[in-house]
């Protein structure tokens, strides 16, 4: 996996509702790794979960007061999700004419979808092993179609697929709450979780990275599932994870380090933002020479909760922080 040297990119969401403005901002900010922005402020279907449910093949969902629930046929909510995705792709295509290089698209992974999507009973799909298998299969088909569409629109792009899995740790630890909120669903077996992720990684012939902004990211499991990169909130790391991170880097898996805050705060100098990454490197005894090529700098998570001005500043800050790592890895 190459071509990320001294790189920076975003995670997914941005504030506002104007697809063209978002595409222009992202392509202007991240010349080497632009991405397809998500604009959840537009409402249900533009949110991370709704957008990915709109990609499913032969499986549909609609919005209930409690969240997204499985449906028999595509309704208004599915159509709206697909329409917004089309609008976002049109905008990105416009601003990437003649582009050659890496381009990132995001979709929610099977386990976070299973934790968020309700069966007809109102309980989460994650409690039903058969339904989870069907969901993963439907998502795989939908992603094949989506990736083919992106490649057709932007032929020079080397597409990177990001699977958003913020609920992955909760699924593995049995911490997903039931509909009543009084109990939690049983933990899903680690091998089942790993197998479903491996199958989805195999759908794409390019790089697949997994993003999780939760504590206790399962680095070893993701590495075994064959991901090319892990994206995470750097501030949630503990020294407990040092060994797993060291093995991840030595295996050639990239770290997408979320070091820039996601909501409006005064930003430190760029070198200060990546100081923790340099310290981690020294603690792990890794060679400074591989630091810049192993790490991509990102915000800690999506920027939908930020002001538009801060979102732009945070993206520019990521680029400067990545440059600082490349220029001065020690």
């Amino acid at each position: 996996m190459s071509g990320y040297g001294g790189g920076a990119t975003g995670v997914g969401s941005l504030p506002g509702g104007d697809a063209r403005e978002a595409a222009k901002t992202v392509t202007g900010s991240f010349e080497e790794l632009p991405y397809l922005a998500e604009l959840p402020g537009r409402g249900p279907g533009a949110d991370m979960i709704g957008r990915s449910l709109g990609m499913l093949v032969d499986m549909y969902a609609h919005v209930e007061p409690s969240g997204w629930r499985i449906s028999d046929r595509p309704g208004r909510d599915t159509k709206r999700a697909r329409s917004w995705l089309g609008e976002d792709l049109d905008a990105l295509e416009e601003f990437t004419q003649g582009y050659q290089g890496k381009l990132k698209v995001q979709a929610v992974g099977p386990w976070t979808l299973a934790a968020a999507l309700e069966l007809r009973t109102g309980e989460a799909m994650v409690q039903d092993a058969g339904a989870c298998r069907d969901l993963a299969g439907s998502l795989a088909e939908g992603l094949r179609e989506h990736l083919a569409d992106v490649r057709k629109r932007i032929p020079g792009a080397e597409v990177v697929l990001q699977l958003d899995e913020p609920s992955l740790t909760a699924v593995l630890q049995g911490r997903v709450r039931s509909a009543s909120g009084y109990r939690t669903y049983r933990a899903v077996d680690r091998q089942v979780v790993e197998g479903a992720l491996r199958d989805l990684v195999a759908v794409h012939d390019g790089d697949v990275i997994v993003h999780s902004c939760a504590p206790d990211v399962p680095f070893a499991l993701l590495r075994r599932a064959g991901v090319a990169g892990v994206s995470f909130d750097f501030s949630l790391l503990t020294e407990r994870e040092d060994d797993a991170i060291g093995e991840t880097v030595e295996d050639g898996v990239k770290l997408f380090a979320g070091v820039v805050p996601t909501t409006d705060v005064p930003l430190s100098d760029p070198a200060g933002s990546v100081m923790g990454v340099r310290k981690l490197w020294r603690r792990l005894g890794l060679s400074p020479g591989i630091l810049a090529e192993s790490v991509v700098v990102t915000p800690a998570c999506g920027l939908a909760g930020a002001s538009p001005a801060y979102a732009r500043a945070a993206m520019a800050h990521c680029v400067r922080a990545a440059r600082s790592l490349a220029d001065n890895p020690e």
Side-chain angles (χ1 to χ4, degrees):
M1 176 174 172
S2 61
Y4 292 86
T9 190
V11 171
S13 66
L14 288 177
D18 184 331
R20 288 187 76 253
E21 184 59 33
K24 183 181 173 186
T25 302
V26 166
T27 53
S29 302
F30 300 117
E31 291 172 11
E32 290 181 8
L33 186 50
Y35 67 97
L36 179 64
E38 296 156 4
L39 302 172
R42 293 179 296 197
D47 60 301
M48 181 175 94
I49 298 290
R51 164 171 284 200
S52 296
L53 292 173
M55 290 180 192
L56 298 178
V57 172
D58 297 332
M59 194 179 269
Y60 313 103
H62 65 278
V63 178
E64 293 275 338
S66 54
W68 287 91
R69 186 169 293 182
I70 205 90
S71 306
D72 291 324
R73 61 185 67 84
R76 191 180 59 219
D77 297 324
T78 301
K79 291 184 180 125
R80 193 187 292 128
R82 289 176 178 170
S83 160
W84 273 325
L85 177 59
E87 194 179 296
D88 294 339
L89 283 166
D90 288 345
L92 186 65
E93 186 179 353
E94 180 187 341
F95 287 98
T96 49
Q97 293 294 310
Y99 176 73
Q100 303 261 329
K102 290 194 184 291
L103 171 84
K104 183 166 73 71
V105 297
Q106 304 82 226
V108 177
W111 297 109
T112 296
L113 272 188
L117 183 56
E118 295 175 357
L119 298 164
R120 287 174 182 81
T121 58
E123 296 295 345
M125 191 177 267
V126 75
Q127 65 157 19
D128 182 327
C132 286
R133 276 195 300 275
D134 292 346
L135 177 65
S138 170
L139 179 61
E141 275 311 300
L143 284 174
R144 273 193 197 96
E145 290 178 11
H146 176 52
L147 292 164
D149 183 27
V150 174
R151 280 193 290 261
K152 194 168 82 210
R153 288 167 175 268
I154 309 162
E158 198 183 317
V159 181
V160 177
L161 171 62
Q162 173 181 309
L163 296 173
D164 289 315
E165 282 284 15
S167 301
L168 183 60
T169 303
V171 166
L172 287 166
Q173 295 180 355
R175 289 195 283 105
V176 178
R177 295 214 158 271
S178 66
S180 67
Y182 292 125
R183 61 186 181 86
T184 53
Y185 301 115
R186 212 170 46 242
V188 180
D189 181 86
R190 295 183 82 82
Q191 286 181 306
V192 172
V193 170
E194 187 184 315
L197 287 170
R198 190 181 298 112
D199 290 347
L200 268 174
V201 167
V203 163
H204 183 38
D205 56 10
D207 291 343
V208 179
I209 66 173
V210 168
H211 168 74
S212 173
C213 48
D216 300 323
V217 174
F219 285 95
L221 181 149
L222 293 173
R223 202 177 76 240
R224 289 195 303 270
V227 304
V230 183
S231 167
F232 56 96
D233 179 344
F234 193 84
S235 71
L236 299 177
L237 284 188
T238 65
E239 292 195 15
R240 268 204 324 268
E241 284 139 313
D242 278 6
D243 288 349
I245 290 172
E247 286 163 8
T248 300
V249 173
E250 283 168 355
D251 221 17
V253 177
K254 305 291 178 199
L255 302 181
F256 285 67
V259 296
V260 177
T262 55
T263 48
D264 298 41
V265 293
L267 290 165
S268 71
D269 69 301
S273 294
V274 285
M275 195 162 58
V277 179
R278 289 194 185 93
K279 279 184 181 158
L280 170 71
W281 228 248
R282 283 199 291 274
R283 215 165 60 227
L284 296 176
L286 293 165
S287 156
I290 63 163
L291 175 52
E293 69 193 48
S294 303
V295 174
V296 178
V297 176
T298 73
C301 203
L303 292 165
S307 67
Y310 178 81
R312 281 193 298 275
M315 290 191 275
H317 193 83
C318 288
V319 174
R320 286 197 294 271
R323 202 167 296 136
S324 153
L325 263 191
D327 293 346
N328 181 17
E330 303 269 0

Coordinates of all heavy atoms in Angstrom, one line a residue, residues 47-94:
D47 N -27.6 11.2 6.6 CA -26.8 10.8 7.8 C -26.0 9.5 7.3 O -26.3 8.8 6.3 CB -27.6 10.4 9.0 CG -28.6 9.3 8.7 OD1 -29.4 9.5 7.7 OD2 -28.6 8.3 9.3
M48 N -25.0 9.2 8.1 CA -24.1 8.1 7.8 C -24.8 6.8 7.6 O -24.6 6.0 6.7 CB -23.1 8.0 8.9 CG -22.0 7.0 8.9 SD -20.9 7.2 10.3 CE -21.6 6.1 11.5
I49 N -25.7 6.5 8.6 CA -26.5 5.2 8.6 C -27.4 5.2 7.4 O -27.4 4.2 6.6 CB -27.2 5.0 9.9 CG1 -26.3 4.9 11.1 CG2 -28.1 3.8 9.8 CD1 -25.4 3.7 11.2
G50 N -28.2 6.3 7.2 CA -29.2 6.3 6.1 C -28.6 6.2 4.8 O -29.1 5.5 3.9
R51 N -27.4 6.9 4.6 CA -26.8 6.9 3.3 C -26.4 5.4 2.9 O -26.6 5.0 1.8 CB -25.5 7.7 3.3 CG -24.6 7.4 2.2 CD -23.5 8.5 2.1 NE -24.0 9.7 1.5 CZ -23.2 10.6 0.9 NH1 -21.9 10.5 0.9 NH2 -23.7 11.7 0.4
S52 N -25.8 4.7 3.9 CA -25.4 3.3 3.6 C -26.5 2.4 3.5 O -26.5 1.5 2.7 CB -24.4 2.9 4.7 OG -23.3 3.7 4.7
L53 N -27.6 2.6 4.2 CA -28.8 1.8 4.0 C -29.4 2.0 2.6 O -29.9 1.0 2.0 CB -29.9 2.1 5.1 CG -29.5 1.7 6.5 CD1 -30.6 2.2 7.5 CD2 -29.4 0.2 6.6
G54 N -29.2 3.2 2.1 CA -29.7 3.5 0.7 C -28.9 2.7 -0.4 O -29.3 2.5 -1.5
M55 N -27.6 2.3 0.0 CA -26.8 1.5 -0.9 C -27.1 0.0 -1.0 O -26.7 -0.7 -1.9 CB -25.3 1.6 -0.5 CG -24.7 3.0 -0.7 SD -23.0 2.9 -0.1 CE -22.5 4.6 0.0
L56 N -27.9 -0.5 0.0 CA -28.1 -1.9 0.1 C -28.9 -2.4 -1.1 O -29.6 -1.7 -1.8 CB -29.0 -2.2 1.3 CG -28.3 -1.9 2.7 CD1 -29.3 -2.2 3.8 CD2 -27.0 -2.7 2.9
V57 N -28.6 -3.7 -1.5 CA -29.3 -4.3 -2.6 C -30.4 -5.3 -2.1 O -30.1 -6.1 -1.2 CB -28.3 -5.1 -3.5 CG1 -29.0 -5.9 -4.6 CG2 -27.4 -4.0 -4.2
D58 N -31.6 -5.1 -2.5 CA -32.7 -6.0 -2.1 C -33.0 -6.0 -0.6 O -33.4 -7.0 0.0 CB -32.5 -7.5 -2.6 CG -32.5 -7.6 -4.1 OD1 -33.1 -6.7 -4.8 OD2 -31.8 -8.5 -4.6
M59 N -32.6 -4.9 0.1 CA -32.9 -4.7 1.5 C -33.2 -3.3 1.7 O -32.4 -2.4 1.2 CB -31.8 -5.2 2.3 CG -32.1 -5.4 3.8 SD -30.7 -6.0 4.8 CE -30.9 -7.8 4.7
Y60 N -34.2 -2.9 2.4 CA -34.7 -1.5 2.5 C -34.9 -1.1 3.9 O -35.2 -2.0 4.8 CB -35.9 -1.3 1.6 CG -35.8 -1.9 0.3 CD1 -36.5 -3.1 0.0 CD2 -35.0 -1.3 -0.7 CE1 -36.3 -3.7 -1.3 CE2 -34.9 -1.9 -2.0 CZ -35.5 -3.1 -2.2 OH -35.4 -3.6 -3.5
A61 N -35.0 0.2 4.2 CA -35.2 0.6 5.6 C -36.0 2.0 5.5 O -35.9 2.7 4.5 CB -33.9 0.8 6.3
H62 N -36.7 2.3 6.6 CA -37.4 3.6 6.7 C -37.1 4.1 8.1 O -36.7 3.4 9.0 CB -38.9 3.4 6.4 CG -39.6 2.6 7.4 ND1 -39.6 1.2 7.4 CD2 -40.3 2.9 8.5 CE1 -40.2 0.7 8.4 NE2 -40.7 1.7 9.1
V63 N -37.4 5.4 8.2 CA -37.2 6.1 9.5 C -38.4 6.0 10.4 O -39.5 6.3 10.0 CB -36.9 7.6 9.3 CG1 -36.6 8.3 10.6 CG2 -35.6 7.7 8.5
E64 N -38.2 5.5 11.6 CA -39.2 5.5 12.7 C -38.7 6.5 13.8 O -37.6 6.9 13.7 CB -39.2 4.1 13.4 CG -39.8 3.0 12.5 CD -41.3 2.9 12.5 OE1 -41.9 3.4 13.5 OE2 -41.9 2.4 11.5
P65 N -39.6 6.9 14.7 CA -39.1 7.8 15.8 C -37.9 7.3 16.5 O -37.0 8.0 17.0 CB -40.3 7.9 16.7 CG -41.5 7.6 15.8 CD -41.0 6.6 14.8
S66 N -37.7 5.9 16.6 CA -36.6 5.3 17.3 C -35.4 5.2 16.5 O -34.3 4.8 17.0 CB -37.0 3.9 17.8 OG -37.5 3.2 16.7
G67 N -35.5 5.4 15.1 CA -34.3 5.2 14.3 C -34.7 4.5 13.0 O -35.9 4.5 12.6
W68 N -33.8 3.9 12.3 CA -34.0 3.2 11.0 C -34.5 1.8 11.3 O -34.0 1.0 12.1 CB -32.7 3.1 10.2 CG -32.3 4.5 9.7 CD1 -31.5 5.4 10.3 CD2 -32.7 5.0 8.4 NE1 -31.4 6.5 9.4 CE2 -32.1 6.3 8.3 CE3 -33.5 4.6 7.4 CZ2 -32.3 7.1 7.2 CZ3 -33.7 5.4 6.3 CH2 -33.1 6.6 6.2
R69 N -35.6 1.4 10.5 CA -36.2 0.1 10.7 C -36.3 -0.6 9.3 O -36.5 0.1 8.3 CB -37.5 0.2 11.3 CG -38.1 -1.2 11.6 CD -39.4 -1.1 12.5 NE -39.0 -0.6 13.9 CZ -39.9 -0.4 14.9 NH1 -41.2 -0.7 14.6 NH2 -39.5 0.0 16.0
I70 N -36.1 -1.9 9.3 CA -36.2 -2.7 8.0 C -37.6 -2.5 7.4 O -38.6 -2.4 8.1 CB -35.9 -4.2 8.4 CG1 -35.3 -4.9 7.1 CG2 -37.0 -4.9 9.0 CD1 -33.9 -4.8 7.0
S71 N -37.6 -2.5 6.1 CA -38.9 -2.3 5.3 C -39.0 -3.4 4.2 O -38.0 -4.1 3.9 CB -38.9 -1.0 4.5 OG -38.7 0.1 5.3
D72 N -40.2 -3.6 3.7 CA -40.4 -4.6 2.6 C -40.0 -4.0 1.3 O -39.6 -4.8 0.3 CB -41.8 -5.0 2.5 CG -42.2 -5.8 3.8 OD1 -41.4 -6.6 4.2 OD2 -43.4 -5.7 4.3
R73 N -40.1 -2.7 1.1 CA -39.9 -2.1 -0.2 C -39.2 -0.8 0.0 O -39.3 -0.2 1.0 CB -41.2 -2.0 -1.0 CG -42.2 -1.1 -0.3 CD -43.5 -1.2 -1.1 NE -44.2 -2.4 -1.1 CZ -44.9 -2.9 -0.1 NH1 -45.2 -2.0 1.0 NH2 -45.5 -4.0 -0.1
P74 N -38.6 -0.2 -1.1 CA -38.0 1.1 -1.0 C -39.0 2.2 -0.9 O -39.9 2.3 -1.7 CB -37.2 1.2 -2.3 CG -37.8 0.3 -3.2 CD -38.4 -0.8 -2.5
G75 N -39.0 2.9 0.2 CA -39.9 4.0 0.4 C -39.3 5.4 0.2 O -38.2 5.5 -0.4
R76 N -39.9 6.4 0.7 CA -39.5 7.8 0.6 C -38.0 8.0 1.1 O -37.2 8.7 0.5 CB -40.5 8.7 1.3 CG -40.3 10.2 1.0 CD -41.3 11.0 1.8 NE -41.2 10.7 3.2 CZ -42.2 10.6 4.0 NH1 -43.5 10.7 3.6 NH2 -42.0 10.4 5.3
D77 N -37.8 7.4 2.3 CA -36.5 7.6 2.9 C -35.3 7.0 2.1 O -34.3 7.6 2.0 CB -36.5 7.0 4.4 CG -37.5 7.6 5.2 OD1 -37.7 8.9 5.1 OD2 -38.2 7.0 6.1
T78 N -35.6 5.8 1.6 CA -34.5 5.1 0.7 C -34.3 6.0 -0.5 O -33.1 6.2 -0.9 CB -35.0 3.7 0.3 OG1 -35.2 2.9 1.4 CG2 -34.0 3.0 -0.6
K79 N -35.4 6.5 -1.1 CA -35.2 7.3 -2.4 C -34.5 8.6 -2.1 O -33.7 9.0 -2.9 CB -36.6 7.6 -2.9 CG -37.3 6.3 -3.5 CD -38.6 6.6 -4.2 CE -39.2 5.3 -4.7 NZ -40.6 5.1 -4.2
R80 N -34.8 9.2 -0.9 CA -34.1 10.4 -0.6 C -32.6 10.2 -0.3 O -31.8 10.9 -0.8 CB -34.7 11.0 0.7 CG -34.3 12.4 1.0 CD -34.8 12.9 2.4 NE -36.2 13.0 2.4 CZ -37.0 12.4 3.4 NH1 -36.5 11.7 4.3 NH2 -38.3 12.6 3.4
A81 N -32.3 9.1 0.3 CA -30.8 8.7 0.6 C -30.1 8.5 -0.8 O -29.0 9.0 -0.9 CB -30.7 7.4 1.4
R82 N -30.7 7.8 -1.7 CA -30.1 7.6 -3.0 C -29.9 8.9 -3.8 O -28.9 9.1 -4.5 CB -30.9 6.6 -3.8 CG -30.8 5.2 -3.2 CD -31.6 4.2 -3.9 NE -31.5 2.8 -3.3 CZ -32.2 1.8 -3.5 NH1 -33.2 1.9 -4.4 NH2 -32.0 0.6 -3.0
S83 N -30.9 9.7 -3.7 CA -30.9 11.0 -4.4 C -29.8 11.9 -3.9 O -29.0 12.5 -4.7 CB -32.3 11.7 -4.3 OG -32.2 13.0 -4.6
W84 N -29.6 12.0 -2.6 CA -28.6 12.8 -2.0 C -27.2 12.2 -2.4 O -26.3 13.0 -2.7 CB -28.7 12.9 -0.5 CG -29.6 14.1 -0.1 CD1 -29.7 15.3 -0.8 CD2 -30.5 14.1 1.0 NE1 -30.6 16.1 -0.1 CE2 -31.1 15.4 1.0 CE3 -30.8 13.2 2.0 CZ2 -32.0 15.8 1.9 CZ3 -31.8 13.6 2.9 CH2 -32.4 14.9 2.9
L85 N -27.0 10.9 -2.4 CA -25.8 10.3 -2.7 C -25.4 10.7 -4.2 O -24.3 11.0 -4.5 CB -25.8 8.8 -2.6 CG -24.6 8.0 -3.0 CD1 -23.3 8.5 -2.2 CD2 -24.8 6.5 -2.8
G86 N -26.4 10.6 -5.1 CA -26.2 11.0 -6.5 C -25.8 12.4 -6.6 O -24.9 12.8 -7.4
E87 N -26.4 13.3 -5.8 CA -26.1 14.7 -5.9 C -24.7 14.9 -5.4 O -23.9 15.7 -6.0 CB -27.1 15.4 -4.9 CG -27.1 16.9 -5.0 CD -28.2 17.5 -4.0 OE1 -29.4 17.2 -4.1 OE2 -27.7 18.2 -3.1
D88 N -24.3 14.2 -4.4 CA -22.9 14.4 -3.8 C -21.9 13.9 -4.8 O -20.8 14.4 -5.0 CB -22.7 13.6 -2.5 CG -23.6 14.2 -1.4 OD1 -23.9 15.4 -1.5 OD2 -23.9 13.5 -0.4
L89 N -22.2 12.8 -5.5 CA -21.3 12.2 -6.5 C -21.2 13.1 -7.7 O -20.1 13.3 -8.3 CB -21.8 10.8 -7.0 CG -21.5 9.7 -6.0 CD1 -22.3 8.4 -6.4 CD2 -20.0 9.3 -6.0
D90 N -22.3 13.7 -8.1 CA -22.3 14.7 -9.3 C -21.3 15.9 -8.9 O -20.5 16.3 -9.8 CB -23.7 15.3 -9.5 CG -24.6 14.3 -10.1 OD1 -24.2 13.3 -10.7 OD2 -25.9 14.6 -10.1
A91 N -21.4 16.3 -7.7 CA -20.6 17.5 -7.3 C -19.1 17.1 -7.2 O -18.3 17.8 -7.7 CB -21.0 18.0 -5.9
L92 N -18.8 15.9 -6.7 CA -17.4 15.5 -6.6 C -16.9 15.3 -8.0 O -15.7 15.7 -8.3 CB -17.3 14.2 -5.8 CG -15.9 13.7 -5.5 CD1 -15.2 14.7 -4.7 CD2 -15.9 12.3 -4.9
E93 N -17.7 14.7 -8.9 CA -17.3 14.5 -10.3 C -16.9 15.8 -11.0 O -15.9 15.9 -11.7 CB -18.4 13.8 -11.1 CG -18.0 13.4 -12.5 CD -19.2 12.7 -13.2 OE1 -20.2 12.4 -12.5 OE2 -19.1 12.4 -14.4
E94 N -17.7 16.8 -10.7 CA -17.4 18.1 -11.3 C -16.1 18.7 -10.9 O -15.4 19.3 -11.7 CB -18.6 19.1 -10.9 CG -18.4 20.5 -11.4 CD -19.5 21.5 -10.8 OE1 -20.5 21.0 -10.3 OE2 -19.2 22.7 -10.9

